[in-house]
Amino acid sequence: MTGKKIVFGLFEDEEILMKAVKNVRNEGLKITDVLTPFPVHGLDEIMGLRQTKLHSAGFVFGMTGTLTALTFILWVSTANYPINYAGKPYLSLPSWIPITFELTVLFAAIGMTLTYLYLNRLAPGMKPKILDERITSHMFAMTFEINAETSENKKEEIRNVLKANGAVEIHEKDWDTL
Amino acid sequence: MFVSPIREPLIQGHKTYAQMSDDIIGPVEAKPTKMWLAAVTFCGLVALTGFTMIGLTITYGIGMWGLNKTVGWAWDITNFVWWIGIGHAGTLISAILLLFRQKWRTGVNRSAEAMTIFAVMCAGLFPIIHMGRVWLAFFIFPYPNTRGPVWSNFNSPLLWDVFAISTYFTVSVLFWYTGLIPDLATVRDRAKTAFRKKIYNIFCFGWTGSAKHWQRFESLSLVLAGLSTPLVLSVHTIVSFDFATSIVPGWHTTIFPPYFVAGAIFSGFAMVLSLMLVVRKVFKLEQYITLAHIESMNKVIILTGSIVGVAYITELFVSWYSQNQYEQYAFINRSTGPYWWSYWGMMTCNVVSPQLFWIKKLRRSVVFTFFMSIFINVGMWFERFVIIVTSVHRDYITSAWTMYYPTYVEIFIYIGTIGFFMTLFLLFAKVAPVIALAEVKAILKTAGDQYTGEHATHVQHEHAVEHMHDEKKDGNFGTELKPI
Amino acid sequence: MSDNNKFEFTGKQKKTFLIMMVVGIIAVLIGLLAGSVSKQRFWANLLLESVFFTGIAACAIFMIAAHQIGLAGWNIVVRRVTESITKFTLIGGLFIMVIVVGTAVGYHDLYHWSNNFLTEQQVTQAEITEYEEHHAGGHHVGGHETEEQHDNGEHKTNEHDGTKEDHEQNSFNTSEVNYIFTSTDDSTHAASADGLVENPYYDKILDGKEPYLNPPFFILRAIIFLGLWSFIAYKLRRISLAEDLGNGTDAWYMKTKFWSAIFLVIWAVTSSMMAWDWVMSLDPHWYSTLFGWYNFISLWITSMCVTVLLLIYLKSKGYIKEVNQNHLHDLGKYIFGFSIFWTYLWFSQFMLIWYANIPEETIYFLQRKREYNPLFFGNLIINFLMPFLVLMRRDAKRSLTVLTIMAVVLIIGHWNDFFVMIMPATVGADWHISYFEVGMFLFFAGMFLYTVFYQLSKASLIAVKHPFLKESLGHHQ
């Protein structure tokens, strides 16, 4: 038992939510997370989230694919199993381009998706903490992490800020029993 | 973001987010209707017939088909290319239209992606059964083996195809499924029974909708879209290489790659239209797949149909221009030879009839669009038949000229794949939302009819033009400039 | 919006462009008068520049039409610049007309299919002598085709020695390639009763192509293409300017839509045909169905690069503050994406021809690989690798410096692409890129910029009443 608790406010509209996030941050409160039913454009910027580096991972995976394909075909065609096809040279780069391209895309796509799933801790059988069942449908949640030591004042402040910024419902839940 | 009032809304009925969830997930939660059960049973039986015929082919060999010494590729490869082509629309809608910021894609992309995957499955079937000894199909992959150093031929377009199609299938599945995850989470959270919750939780990978997850989600979709765009081009390009690298008159022509791609998009869109027109009716999704969506798709049909038309005419012209008698004869034979009906069928269905969509009224007619979409699919099947059978049945040596006729086995395998495709699509439509729920919600504020179009009730936010320091309030700026 | 969008075409700019043109003319004159530049090289360069710049202008019309039909909103702030570029279509077109008309008035060295002599089986001895004298005079005949016919793999000594040597020195030696066709036996020059002899230069293929490749039809097509483009460019511009004075309804928008649709239909056909006519028929035996689309994409990329450069220039002068990084980012994405698409087309055309290995087709690339090696491979490096590696990053597409550099590089790159398409068929191995080529380029660039700047100064730099203007102003990624 860590005594970890979550205070969260539910919002009905993403524009109210965005303004709320801005105001809450200006007031110096640390937002733990914002949960939304769909990707809200620009929310990450307002929350001050770091830009994701996922696409760089994609580039690295892609290049791995390119090199794998080229070196493998080069080795097969010129060293391990050189066969004369239609009088073309063993090293026939133009006819290797298609497979090289496909493997680049394949490696990048698989690598990136797995990285994405890993970073987000998404996998079959994961037991997520669902704060409210409406969050994936039509409600937007702004959450604050607190614990047993958090003072009542602090809690009250969070509640007031949420209310003042348009939260329609405010709840407090134990993290461990979720 | 400001949206011009002359833009047509893409979501009708003044929807709220909650209503959107109800409307789109509703069909998934409802008990299967009798009609659905009947449809699945029927399509399943058709698929079964097809698989029986495949069983016959495997048992007795390729001799069950109408192939002969001259025509080694016919109905099977025609079907293969036809299905692969249909399998291009999903990725096009999700990837290319995402990059081009076409908002209407959100209404149809999910189903189109599912359709893509099922179509590629049908397509992949044909080259495999065409091998005859299907139990040796794994030979096509380069794998270390004990037969001495023996590797597959990396210079062969057929091997490129193996890589292209397996990559395309994999990436399409990834693209489709990563997009589906948040929507499955919505289904999970709305589920009434614990069992249903559990099942959907497994399939939605435990999604919660955290801002950081969405940020990565958007990055992933954008990069996957960026990767899929050249990929979708490469797949049909490589399919076209199967023909164009050869020296068969009518096959060896440099326009094949882009022309095949345009044709694939053309037929894919037609298939998406055929399915979506039925889906929107049955699932009552007319407010999400509106006439604006249909009109936009019909515009893509005109565009790709015209590209294909230009390519046909280019081919025809250049065959004459080449002054090469074999090239010339290939086209004379196409248009006036024994298979003339397939050539003119192709021209009518693919080039002439889509031009009717220049008429706005027809572009917005559901019934007309439905018939047209079927028409185009028939036309695109003819196109592949023309390219494949007509080119090979009469080539350089007249003594080898012959005719090809399909047998009942081939015909039923083809019909069977359509049944298989429909079965898979019906199953998909029952277990997962057919519209990309999260993505449609994301465009509500810019494309909902309460915000844009003539029935708008909400005033748009104009913060978008804040940076214009000297903008006049009435929007009537710039009058002091006198155009000359 | 304030005066910041009333563009003033300053005297200094005018002077700069005029100097560019004058310097260009002087360079060309020096080349011609000093005798170091052949007539063929002059015409080939004129063709190159006029096709290149007219193509840029015509692709700008396409840009407007395609965005209109695609209901794009983001590009409205860029639109006036694109419109101004379109107006060069007519002027560039006039230069094309000069060249095209040349085929009818006896200048056959550029488009040698236009020479009637080659398609006549029976000619007089005098005509043969005249033809041989013409080609013995140091002319680099575009087609080596005449040679191929009576070569058939072995070198015969005959009366065309002059021509042959000329070919061997200056042009790709096509006798290595055996054509599948043969023509009449050239050793028999027995005069028939009416004084006609068998034409040793008779080209059966060109004879077959005559219904399409003949000067009157060629000229007619050019008039139709250029006339239609110029007319629609004029129409679109006029509607756009009228909108500024209008009452803010969407009437002009609908009109633009109508003409855009018409243009796209016309462009679908003419974009390919212009490439066949003006570029592909320089090698009249060679054909590739993809050629038209390949040319179009090459020109379109250039057109977008020119737009980017103009936008950045105007911004640096304090105009069009409304165009921000987001709009340039979009153009950058286009340039990036279509550079890859260009590579795809290049590869498709090259690979299919390389793979099938049919001599009639491979000769095209073989000649370019041998005689234009650095330019041929440079083409791929500049037009594919550079944009691919540089413009892949988001920051790069949002940086004005990087965009400027890439736009300049790609304009040079696609100019080179056209150089490699046009020169081998016209001047053969005897190619140069020196003061003469630069001069010709400068002349056209000066004329092009003068036209564009003049057009820019005629109206507001922003289409102030376009219904999508606000969308464009608020556009962000």
Side-chain angles (χ1 to χ4, degrees):
Chain A
M1 283 291 153
T2 52
K4 188 168 144 188
K5 283 180 173 185
I6 296 287
V7 177
F8 64 95
L10 290 176
F11 296 78
E12 279 180 326
D13 189 280
E14 78 273 20
E15 283 170 41
I16 300 170
L17 172 85
M18 299 260 270
K19 279 197 193 105
V21 171
K22 219 185 247 175
N23 292 339
V24 171
R25 288 194 72 214
N26 284 342
E27 291 193 23
L29 280 176
K30 193 174 173 295
I31 300 171
T32 309
D33 199 359
V34 176
L35 305 173
T36 60
F38 59 84
V40 179
H41 205 69
L43 179 66
D44 52 344
E45 247 171 81
I46 291 179
M47 283 175 69
L49 293 181
R50 246 183 331 120
Q51 276 290 321
T52 171
K53 293 231 169 64
L54 200 57
H55 47 266
S56 310
F59 182 77
V60 174
F61 285 117
M63 282 298 124
T64 315
T66 315
L67 287 178
T68 310
L70 278 182
T71 46
F72 180 69
I73 302 175
L74 182 76
W75 172 71
V76 167
S77 307
T78 61
N80 192 245
Y81 188 56
I83 293 279
N84 185 343
Y85 294 109
K88 295 274 192 294
Y90 295 139
L91 201 161
S92 289
L93 196 60
S95 62
W96 302 349
I97 301 290
I99 292 180
T100 308
F101 171 78
E102 298 301 331
L103 285 190
T104 307
V105 171
L106 187 67
F107 275 52
I110 292 182
M112 247 189 99
T113 308
L114 290 179
T115 315
Y116 161 81
L117 293 176
Y118 171 76
L119 289 175
N120 284 353
R121 303 291 187 276
L122 291 173
M126 291 301 274
K127 300 231 169 357
K129 307 276 187 190
I130 296 166
L131 296 174
D132 191 294
E133 286 174 347
R134 291 165 297 171
I135 292 174
T136 48
S137 168
H138 53 275
M139 287 299 215
F140 303 79
M142 191 195 295
T143 70
F144 297 89
E145 195 183 305
I146 55 170
N147 51 39
E149 284 103 67
T150 311
S151 65
E152 276 305 313
N153 275 352
K154 182 84 180 169
K155 276 196 219 173
E156 204 48 40
E157 193 196 340
I158 294 172
R159 284 168 178 277
N160 286 339
V161 162
L162 281 172
K163 207 173 283 170
N165 280 297
V168 287
E169 286 173 36
I170 297 164
H171 300 278
E172 186 178 322
K173 289 194 176 174
D174 276 334
W175 183 253
D176 299 305
T177 56
L178 268 174
Chain B
M1 211 199 300
F2 180 83
V3 176
S4 172
I6 65 170
R7 282 195 195 272
E8 208 177 338
L10 295 170
I11 302 165
Q12 287 173 341
H14 289 45
K15 297 290 178 194
T16 63
Y17 294 131
Q19 282 171 326
M20 293 168 83
S21 302
D22 288 341
D23 291 346
I24 293 170
I25 300 190
V28 180
E29 289 166 338
K31 276 210 155 36
T33 58
K34 284 210 177 83
M35 211 172 99
W36 182 84
L37 286 171
V40 166
T41 315
F42 176 73
C43 295
L45 285 174
V46 173
L48 202 65
T49 318
F51 282 110
T52 314
M53 293 299 155
I54 292 176
L56 271 180
T57 307
I58 294 169
T59 313
Y60 296 105
I62 295 297
M64 296 299 284
W65 296 357
L67 303 177
N68 52 49
K69 68 182 180 352
T70 304
V71 185
W73 282 3
W75 197 281
D76 48 353
I77 303 300
T78 303
N79 296 337
F80 160 70
V81 182
W82 187 73
W83 275 119
I84 278 284
I86 287 170
H88 273 53
T91 316
L92 174 97
I93 292 174
S94 322
I96 302 184
L97 298 183
L98 175 80
L99 298 181
F100 278 113
R101 295 201 204 93
Q102 296 288 322
K103 283 186 200 134
W104 56 268
R105 84 194 153 80
T106 53
V108 289
N109 65 351
R110 181 60 41 76
S111 302
E113 286 166 32
M115 193 197 81
T116 288
I117 292 163
F118 307 145
V120 175
M121 286 163 77
C122 292
L125 207 59
F126 284 99
I128 293 174
I129 57 174
H130 190 198
M131 290 173 195
R133 285 176 251 179
V134 288
W135 52 93
L136 298 178
F138 63 93
F139 273 26
I140 57 179
F141 291 105
Y143 63 97
N145 54 64
T146 51
R147 298 188 294 273
V150 177
W151 295 101
S152 35
N153 178 2
F154 290 98
N155 296 303
S156 164
L158 300 183
L159 187 71
W160 307 345
D161 236 350
V162 170
F163 278 87
I165 287 162
S166 43
T167 301
Y168 185 57
F169 181 73
T170 314
V171 176
S172 298
V173 169
L174 292 177
F175 202 10
W176 174 68
Y177 204 79
T178 50
L180 197 54
I181 284 175
D183 292 355
L184 291 177
T186 315
V187 181
R188 171 198 67 196
D189 288 348
R190 287 169 53 98
K192 298 283 180 288
T193 64
F195 175 71
R196 199 174 158 86
K197 261 193 170 32
K198 203 164 182 171
I199 294 291
Y200 275 99
N201 190 47
I202 291 173
F203 283 106
C204 80
F205 290 12
W207 177 267
T208 56
S210 157
K212 189 71 197 172
H213 291 189
W214 279 121
Q215 188 200 33
R216 294 195 186 110
F217 175 89
E218 287 204 297
S219 168
L220 180 75
S221 350
L222 208 61
V223 179
L224 282 184
L227 287 171
S228 303
T229 303
L231 178 65
V232 74
L233 256 73
S234 80
V235 175
H236 228 58
T237 293
I238 291 175
V239 170
S240 83
F241 285 168
D242 290 346
F243 306 102
T245 49
S246 72
I247 49 166
V248 176
W251 282 11
H252 177 66
T253 174
T254 50
I255 208 170
F256 257 29
Y259 142 54
F260 264 52
V261 172
I265 293 164
F266 183 55
S267 67
F269 262 75
M271 191 56 114
V272 173
L273 275 169
S274 310
L275 288 180
M276 293 321 279
L277 291 178
V278 176
V279 164
R280 79 194 272 274
K281 187 92 195 131
V282 173
F283 289 170
K284 301 196 175 49
L285 294 172
E286 284 99 337
Q287 288 170 318
Y288 299 95
I289 303 168
T290 65
L291 287 180
H293 289 84
I294 295 170
E295 191 181 2
S296 293
M297 295 179 67
N298 282 336
K299 283 184 184 168
V300 177
I301 296 255
I302 310 178
L303 171 72
T304 48
S306 304
I307 295 178
V308 167
V310 170
Y312 291 160
I313 295 164
T314 303
E315 268 191 316
L316 190 64
F317 169 75
V318 173
S319 74
W320 168 81
Y321 180 86
S322 72
Q323 291 294 310
N324 175 327
Q325 56 170 322
Y326 301 104
E327 275 299 321
Q328 289 176 337
Y329 182 71
F331 282 81
I332 292 170
N333 185 39
R334 277 184 189 184
S335 51
T336 61
Y339 294 115
W340 61 271
W341 44 269
S342 61
Y343 186 78
W344 294 109
M346 158 188 114
M347 280 292 190
T348 318
C349 297
N350 296 348
V351 185
V352 182
S353 63
Q355 303 305 326
L356 289 171
F357 278 140
W358 284 103
I359 303 162
K360 190 171 175 124
K361 224 175 168 165
L362 294 178
R363 219 154 58 209
R364 294 178 76 90
S365 154
V366 175
V367 178
F368 181 78
T369 304
F370 184 75
F371 281 106
M372 193 54 100
S373 69
I374 303 287
F375 221 55
I376 291 168
N377 271 315
V378 173
M380 286 310 289
W381 192 89
F382 276 142
E383 182 202 291
R384 278 62 180 254
F385 185 82
V386 167
I387 291 172
I388 295 167
V389 175
T390 323
S391 300
V392 293
H393 90 118
R394 289 182 174 178
D395 60 3
Y396 300 102
I397 304 166
T398 45
S399 64
W401 286 11
T402 183
M403 290 293 286
Y404 159 82
Y405 303 100
T407 63
Y408 72 95
V409 177
E410 287 169 287
I411 295 170
F412 279 106
I413 291 176
Y414 172 56
I415 296 172
T417 53
I418 298 176
F420 181 54
F421 174 80
M422 296 307 275
T423 312
L424 291 173
F425 191 81
L426 284 165
L427 291 174
F428 157 74
K430 195 70 209 75
V431 299
V434 287
I435 290 182
L437 184 53
E439 289 187 61
V440 176
K441 282 178 184 165
I443 66 159
L444 179 67
K445 287 287 166 67
T446 50
D449 63 348
Q450 65 268 51
Y451 299 100
T452 182
E454 37 189 337
H455 304 300
T457 50
H458 290 55
V459 182
Q460 289 204 30
H461 300 268
E462 303 212 352
H463 57 257
V465 282
E466 268 164 18
H467 70 278
M468 287 181 54
H469 40 92
D470 49 0
E471 177 210 5
K472 287 173 189 156
K473 273 285 163 282
D474 57 359
N476 193 17
F477 33 72
T479 36
E480 70 271 25
L481 294 175
K482 292 277 179 294
I484 301 158
Chain C
M1 239 163 287
S2 67
D3 278 314
N4 104 48
N5 287 321
K6 176 100 185 84
F7 176 72
E8 198 196 338
F9 191 5
T10 62
K12 206 177 138 201
Q13 287 158 343
K14 281 183 190 160
K15 217 157 84 189
T16 314
F17 301 148
L18 286 174
I19 288 173
M20 278 166 80
M21 288 162 72
V22 170
V23 167
I25 291 178
I26 291 172
V28 171
L29 284 180
I30 289 176
L32 287 176
L33 296 179
S36 59
V37 172
S38 67
K39 237 166 90 187
Q40 181 76 343
R41 186 169 153 200
F42 167 77
W43 286 107
N45 273 291
L46 190 67
L47 175 71
L48 169 65
E49 304 303 348
S50 42
V51 168
F52 190 62
F53 282 94
T54 311
I56 291 173
C59 284
I61 315 175
F62 173 78
M63 190 81 175
I64 292 177
H67 280 95
Q68 177 73 38
I69 295 300
L71 304 182
W74 69 271
N75 69 323
I76 302 308
V77 291
V78 176
R79 173 131 171 209
R80 279 285 149 85
V81 175
T82 323
E83 273 171 20
S84 304
I85 299 175
T86 64
K87 297 292 270 188
F88 188 73
T89 317
L90 187 63
I91 299 167
L94 291 177
F95 284 87
I96 293 184
M97 285 314 299
V98 169
I99 296 167
V100 166
V101 169
T103 58
V105 297
Y107 189 73
H108 302 305
D109 290 342
L110 210 50
Y111 294 103
H112 77 267
W113 52 259
S114 64
N115 195 346
N116 258 344
F117 173 78
L118 296 174
T119 54
E120 302 287 341
Q121 277 181 325
Q122 302 284 319
V123 289
T124 61
Q125 190 59 50
E127 282 173 320
I128 295 176
T129 321
E130 189 196 347
Y131 182 82
E132 283 167 359
E133 274 170 6
H134 180 67
H135 289 283
H139 261 293
H140 315 298
V141 181
H144 349 286
E145 280 79 7
T146 44
E147 200 63 24
E148 291 141 20
Q149 300 197 12
H150 40 100
D151 260 6
N152 283 330
E154 50 180 304
H155 290 260
K156 286 178 196 164
T157 322
N158 56 25
E159 63 273 69
H160 330 307
D161 266 353
T163 326
K164 186 186 294 294
E165 273 165 27
D166 192 44
H167 277 306
E168 281 171 359
Q169 282 159 16
N170 299 321
S171 188
F172 176 66
N173 190 348
T174 52
S175 60
E176 288 174 28
V177 182
N178 279 315
Y179 269 57
I180 55 160
F181 61 86
T182 52
S183 78
T184 49
D185 181 5
D186 56 273
S187 58
T188 53
H189 279 217
S192 61
D194 47 0
L196 292 177
V197 291
E198 200 128 4
N199 182 357
Y201 297 98
Y202 172 67
D203 190 325
K204 194 176 160 200
I205 289 183
L206 291 189
D207 199 14
K209 291 185 186 195
E210 215 187 347
Y212 184 78
L213 290 183
N214 63 72
F217 191 27
F218 187 63
I219 295 166
L220 180 69
R221 285 197 302 271
I223 292 173
I224 293 174
F225 302 164
L226 294 163
L228 286 173
W229 301 342
S230 309
F231 175 68
I232 291 176
Y234 163 78
K235 262 301 200 206
L236 287 172
R237 173 76 167 167
R238 216 177 62 156
I239 295 166
S240 177
L241 295 189
E243 190 179 48
D244 278 6
L245 292 177
N247 54 8
T249 61
D250 61 1
W252 294 272
Y253 173 77
M254 298 312 280
K255 274 190 209 164
T256 313
K257 211 163 151 181
F258 173 77
W259 285 105
S260 298
I262 303 260
F263 180 77
L264 289 185
V265 175
I266 292 170
W267 185 251
V269 182
T270 54
S271 62
S272 281
M273 288 178 83
M274 70 153 189
W276 300 338
D277 276 11
W278 300 336
V279 186
M280 196 168 88
S281 81
L282 291 168
D283 281 297
H285 280 185
W286 188 79
Y287 56 90
S288 166
T289 39
L290 189 54
F291 202 78
W293 294 354
Y294 173 81
N295 273 247
F296 159 45
I297 297 298
S298 189
L299 288 170
W300 190 24
I301 295 170
T302 322
S303 182
M304 286 188 284
C305 290
V306 171
T307 312
V308 165
L309 283 183
L310 285 168
L311 288 171
I312 292 176
Y313 176 77
L314 288 172
K315 276 186 81 66
S316 76
K317 292 284 167 204
Y319 296 104
I320 46 167
K321 293 210 174 67
E322 291 77 8
V323 176
N324 55 40
Q325 281 177 321
N326 293 310
H327 304 102
L328 289 168
H329 187 176
D330 268 8
L331 282 167
K333 279 192 216 167
Y334 266 138
I335 293 171
F336 173 73
F338 281 99
S339 289
I340 294 175
F341 189 68
W342 173 90
T343 317
Y344 161 70
L345 294 182
W346 185 94
F347 178 73
S348 298
Q349 185 169 269
F350 174 79
M351 202 281 287
L352 290 176
I353 288 174
W354 169 83
Y355 200 103
N357 211 6
I358 300 172
E360 292 103 307
E361 295 183 342
T362 49
I363 182 174
Y364 182 83
F365 288 111
L366 218 57
Q367 186 193 0
R368 277 154 183 80
K369 201 184 128 209
R370 291 196 184 159
E371 296 171 357
Y372 289 71
N373 197 295
L375 301 188
F376 180 70
F377 289 106
N379 197 6
L380 269 187
I381 293 166
I382 299 176
N383 294 330
F384 167 60
L385 272 187
M386 294 270 298
F388 178 72
L389 295 176
V390 176
L391 288 179
M392 181 144 51
R393 290 186 59 85
R394 181 187 151 91
D395 322 352
K397 288 186 283 255
R398 296 178 78 82
S399 149
L400 299 194
T401 323
V402 176
L403 274 181
T404 311
I405 295 169
M406 281 317 298
V408 172
V409 165
L410 284 174
I411 290 171
I412 297 170
H414 286 284
W415 180 86
N416 172 48
D417 190 14
F418 272 81
F419 190 87
V420 177
M421 283 193 275
I422 288 174
M423 292 303 162
T426 49
V427 298
D430 186 27
W431 61 272
H432 308 268
I433 296 179
S434 68
Y435 73 95
F436 184 79
E437 277 70 21
V438 174
M440 194 68 105
F441 182 87
L442 274 183
F443 173 70
F444 272 83
M447 196 161 53
F448 178 83
L449 289 172
Y450 198 100
T451 315
V452 173
F453 274 56
Y454 174 67
Q455 291 296 336
L456 285 173
S457 71
K458 288 211 315 192
S460 163
L461 288 175
I462 303 285
V464 284
K465 283 196 186 149
H466 197 285
F468 288 161
L469 176 63
K470 270 194 181 178
E471 283 188 18
S472 187
L473 291 172
H475 174 62
H476 63 91
Q477 300 295 322

